[in-house]
Amino acid sequence: MRNNTRPEQISIFDFNQNRSAAKRKRFNHRYNDIVSFENLLTSWQEFLRGKKNRKDVATFILHFSDNLISLYEDLITKTYRHGGYFAFKISDPKPRDIHKASLRDRIVHHALHRSLYPYFDRQFIFDSYSCRMGKGTYKAMDRARSFGRKASQNNTKTTWILKGDIRKFFASVDHAVLKNILKESIKDPDIMWLLEQVIDSFETVGKLSVGLPLGNLTSQLLVNIYMNQFDQFVKRKLKVKYYLRYADDFLIFSQSKIYLEELIPKLSEYLETNLKLSLHPKKVFIKTLASGIDFLGWVHFGHHRILRTATKHHMLKRLRQNNSLETLNSYLGLLRHGNTYKLSQKIMTESLRDKENKESKNQNP
């Protein structure tokens, strides 16, 4: 299973020739189609779902026709310029820096995503699960369970798992590399001009032409296009059988620990040479499936999975802060994806006790 090809000898576009005819179908969208008034209107309607009560939405609606026509004219005459971002932090549960574009720019993001996503999604490997229709967190976890069973021959053989994490993933995407990848498929210079407006609208602090903002719909697609080069290298060149990726986390299953150890420098060198990314030195390790692998908020074993301790504490804290029926049902739905009977019973008991205490206080002020 060893492969002696050095990563630096491999072009990031070498894998295109190995794809099926269906996947090699050309990108046929035209710039005028993407920025058409019809596409902008549809993009606005998609963006609007669940956001009607927001202040910026209400302001935009006050002069809706004028605002949308103005955006259309700027795009069609190529006088459009992407604006800046509003920065804020969230905890989910670890802290993240989010950069929110203006509503006007977010309509452009939706218009681009609507046109680009169907084409590029066909290029992705099956086992890429982040921000893709029909994929997602739970599909990735189920696939990990399936790989564990297959690699271990139904839990009869010791199986090792290489878990890797890309260091500062979004903040490290190189603009020039990304644009070159896009140009391999998109030959229309006007579409590339618009993409460059979005890509160049953000830079990681202290770095020139590097980084994509967490918060843009287009960023989700662009990082998948970027990391698809790595996915194709792993699957087509290294011929790794049991590999899956969710955003910046990936897993590889094998009965051979030595094989996985030999993969690490090849993966690292490819990332650094071709994508200017690096593996997180403290988040790359090899463990047995029997000892449990931490992935997507759960610890996965051969026969079951349990909620990660930090995730459990975060969930209980959120429930104490907001003990609404919607929040409770949301977490109970999450817990159904693992072996969490006792935890489910605990949060239902605590939720009921909390409501009873509140009712008692209201009756006896």
Side-chain angles (χ1 to χ4, degrees):
M1 297 184 71
R2 298 184 183 182
N3 191 301
N4 294 321
T5 305
R6 290 178 58 80
E8 68 269 24
Q9 297 174 318
I10 302 162
S11 165
I12 57 178
F13 311 119
D14 280 350
F15 308 109
N16 290 338
Q17 61 188 349
N18 297 323
R19 300 179 189 169
S20 65
K23 288 188 175 182
R24 289 198 303 266
K25 186 178 179 181
R26 293 184 62 185
F27 181 82
N28 292 321
H29 286 283
R30 296 177 301 173
Y31 178 75
N32 285 357
D33 296 330
I34 295 175
V35 303
S36 70
F37 194 82
E38 292 77 11
N39 194 39
L40 293 178
L41 183 58
T42 302
S43 299
W44 160 257
Q45 292 167 342
E46 291 177 353
F47 166 80
L48 193 60
R49 293 169 189 163
K51 303 183 181 73
K52 292 182 179 180
N53 296 326
R54 295 185 179 179
K55 185 177 180 180
D56 57 347
V57 172
T59 302
F60 193 88
I61 289 175
L62 280 176
H63 303 284
F64 175 71
S65 295
D66 291 341
N67 287 332
L68 204 63
I69 290 171
S70 173
L71 176 60
Y72 166 72
E73 290 176 345
D74 285 352
L75 288 166
I76 208 72
T77 60
K78 294 177 66 179
T79 57
Y80 167 80
R81 295 295 181 269
H82 196 290
Y85 291 86
F86 170 71
F88 59 97
K89 295 182 180 291
I90 64 169
S91 296
D92 67 338
K94 67 180 181 180
R96 295 182 186 274
D97 293 317
I98 304 297
H99 292 83
K100 181 180 177 182
S102 70
L103 191 152
R104 191 174 192 261
D105 292 328
R106 280 179 281 162
I107 295 174
V108 175
H109 299 169
H110 274 261
L112 278 168
H113 190 274
R114 293 188 75 252
S115 300
L116 270 61
Y117 175 85
Y119 170 81
F120 281 103
D121 189 67
R122 292 196 298 268
Q123 316 302 317
F124 300 154
I125 66 169
F126 181 85
D127 288 308
S128 165
Y129 288 89
S130 176
C131 301
R132 296 181 65 191
M133 297 176 188
K135 301 288 185 176
T137 304
Y138 300 123
K139 290 287 182 67
M141 293 197 308
D142 288 343
R143 187 64 161 172
R145 173 181 285 172
S146 174
F147 278 174
R149 287 173 177 168
K150 290 177 180 178
S152 66
Q153 297 179 23
N154 206 23
N155 298 309
T156 62
K157 302 287 185 180
T158 298
T159 296
W160 297 86
I161 303 173
L162 165 61
K163 183 177 185 294
D165 180 283
I166 309 298
R167 188 174 184 270
K168 296 183 178 179
F169 185 37
F170 276 79
S172 301
V173 172
D174 185 273
H175 292 186
V177 174
L178 175 58
K179 291 173 188 177
N180 285 335
I181 294 170
L182 290 168
K183 286 175 183 176
E184 284 294 306
S185 297
I186 300 174
K187 305 303 181 183
D188 187 329
D190 292 335
I191 297 176
M192 280 305 307
W193 170 83
L194 183 55
L195 282 166
E196 287 168 358
Q197 287 294 312
V198 175
I199 293 168
D200 293 337
S201 68
F202 178 87
E203 290 179 338
T204 298
V205 176
K207 295 185 178 181
L208 184 64
S209 297
V210 173
L212 292 176
L214 273 167
N216 278 3
L217 178 63
T218 48
S219 294
Q220 299 172 3
L221 175 59
L222 291 173
V223 293
N224 270 340
I225 294 171
Y226 201 80
M227 283 300 292
N228 184 53
Q229 306 299 318
F230 178 70
D231 296 339
Q232 298 293 339
F233 169 70
V234 174
K235 294 296 293 182
R236 313 303 173 202
K237 199 67 186 180
L238 297 183
K239 306 293 183 183
V240 175
K241 187 174 183 180
Y242 300 120
Y243 163 85
L244 67 90
R245 180 179 62 83
Y246 188 97
D248 55 347
D249 290 335
F250 63 87
L251 302 179
I252 298 176
F253 297 72
S254 176
Q255 289 183 17
S256 171
K257 184 180 181 182
I258 295 175
Y259 167 69
L260 295 178
E261 290 172 340
E262 292 176 345
L263 278 181
I264 294 175
K266 296 178 183 179
L267 301 174
S268 179
E269 190 169 1
Y270 180 85
L271 285 168
E272 292 177 4
T273 302
N274 295 281
L275 299 177
K276 299 186 179 179
L277 299 175
S278 60
L279 293 174
H280 197 299
K282 296 182 179 179
K283 295 183 180 180
V284 176
F285 53 81
I286 299 173
K287 295 179 65 176
T288 62
L289 179 59
S291 66
I293 192 77
D294 191 331
F295 182 58
L296 299 178
W298 295 77
V299 181
H300 302 256
F301 299 90
H303 295 283
H304 66 288
R305 57 178 170 239
I306 60 175
L307 202 62
R308 181 197 295 162
T309 301
T311 307
K312 179 173 67 175
H313 289 164
H314 177 71
M315 180 185 67
L316 293 172
K317 180 181 178 181
R318 289 286 300 273
L319 280 168
R320 294 185 188 106
Q321 294 172 343
N322 179 14
N323 192 19
S324 67
L325 182 61
E326 292 79 8
T327 303
L328 177 63
N329 286 336
S330 174
Y331 281 125
L332 289 175
L334 180 150
L335 293 175
R336 280 197 289 270
H337 291 275
N339 301 78
T340 57
Y341 176 78
K342 290 183 178 180
L343 181 57
S344 297
Q345 293 299 307
K346 178 180 179 180
I347 68 171
M348 284 192 291
T349 301
E350 288 189 3
S351 177
L352 180 61
R353 186 186 304 123
D354 184 57
K355 288 181 179 179
E356 289 175 346
N357 290 337
K358 288 181 179 178
E359 289 175 1
S360 177
K361 288 180 180 179
N362 290 334
Q363 292 173 358
N364 302 289

